[in-house]
Amino acid sequence: ITFENGTTQIADSLFAGCVGIEEVTIPNTVTSIEWGAFQDCLALKKVVVGNSVTNIGYRAFDGCVNLPQISLPDSLTKIADAAFEGCTEFTVVRIPASMLSIDERVFSNCGNLVAVEIPDSIISISNSAFSGCEDLNSIVLSSNITSIDDTALPDNLRTVYTYKNSY
């Protein structure tokens, strides 16, 4: 699916459950991907997100079990709860520096996730953000983080590294 330039929003549940969609290109004119827009698109394997997206809504890509990765643009300021829950093929996620928090269940049950790049800008990680990420057994966090919910990280997490920036 390719959207026309000029499109500014991908509507709630627009393609939810469409099992034949394999690729999506979201143009630079889009600023918001709304609630459940691509939820349970089981065949989805590639998403190109335009560089103007600031919001990815609740469960926007939840259950996209064949999506191996997504490049999150530096314009992104909000990823709503459960936006990528159950994206079991994710292996690496890079959170953009424009983000301040990681909300509830954003990446929960991404069972193959092995690495997460969390920028210095993140100050809080909400409950179950990475729960069920069985392959994630170490994580690097900035000392700028002021709040991590007690269920934010996976149970099997063995190592948490922290560092302090020297500016």
Side-chain angles (χ1 to χ4, degrees), residues 52-92:
S52 296
V53 171
T54 59
N55 174 65
I56 295 179
Y58 176 74
R59 295 196 178 278
F61 293 94
D62 172 34
C64 293
V65 296
N66 287 302
L67 184 62
Q69 66 180 4
I70 192 163
S71 230
L72 301 173
D74 291 334
S75 57
L76 194 62
T77 57
K78 174 75 172 168
I79 303 174
D81 296 355
F84 298 103
E85 184 171 11
C87 290
T88 55
E89 291 302 307
F90 276 10
T91 56
V92 176

Side-chain angles (χ1 to χ4, degrees), residues 14-162:
L14 185 61
F15 297 103
C18 291
V19 294
I21 297 173
E22 292 185 14
E23 291 189 18
V24 174
T25 300
I26 298 169
N28 292 335
T29 55
V30 171
T31 59
S32 186
I33 302 168
E34 295 298 317
W35 186 93
F38 298 98
Q39 185 175 10
D40 295 326
C41 288
L42 303 179
L44 190 59
K45 293 179 182 165
K46 182 177 180 183
V47 176
V48 177
V49 180
N51 61 16
S52 296
V53 171
T54 59
N55 174 65
I56 295 179
Y58 176 74
R59 295 196 178 278
F61 293 94
D62 172 34
C64 293
V65 296
N66 287 302
L67 184 62
Q69 66 180 4
I70 192 163
S71 230
L72 301 173
D74 291 334
S75 57
L76 194 62
T77 57
K78 174 75 172 168
I79 303 174
D81 296 355
F84 298 103
E85 184 171 11
C87 290
T88 55
E89 291 302 307
F90 276 10
T91 56
V92 176
V93 170
R94 182 191 72 79
I95 311 253
S98 50
M99 300 279 301
L100 296 177
S101 65
I102 301 172
D103 288 353
E104 294 181 21
R105 299 184 337 271
V106 169
F107 297 105
S108 68
N109 298 313
C110 293
N112 290 320
L113 190 63
V114 295
V116 180
E117 293 180 35
I118 298 177
D120 296 337
S121 60
I122 297 295
I123 57 171
S124 69
I125 302 176
S126 295
N127 72 345
S128 300
F130 296 100
S131 67
C133 297
E134 300 93 18
D135 289 347
L136 184 64
N137 48 39
S138 69
I139 195 164
V140 179
L141 303 173
S142 164
S143 62
N144 295 337
I145 292 181
T146 58
S147 171
I148 300 176
D149 188 87
D150 62 349
T151 63
L153 303 174
D155 293 335
N156 62 309
L157 191 65
R158 290 186 220 141
T159 310
V160 176
Y161 298 98
T162 60

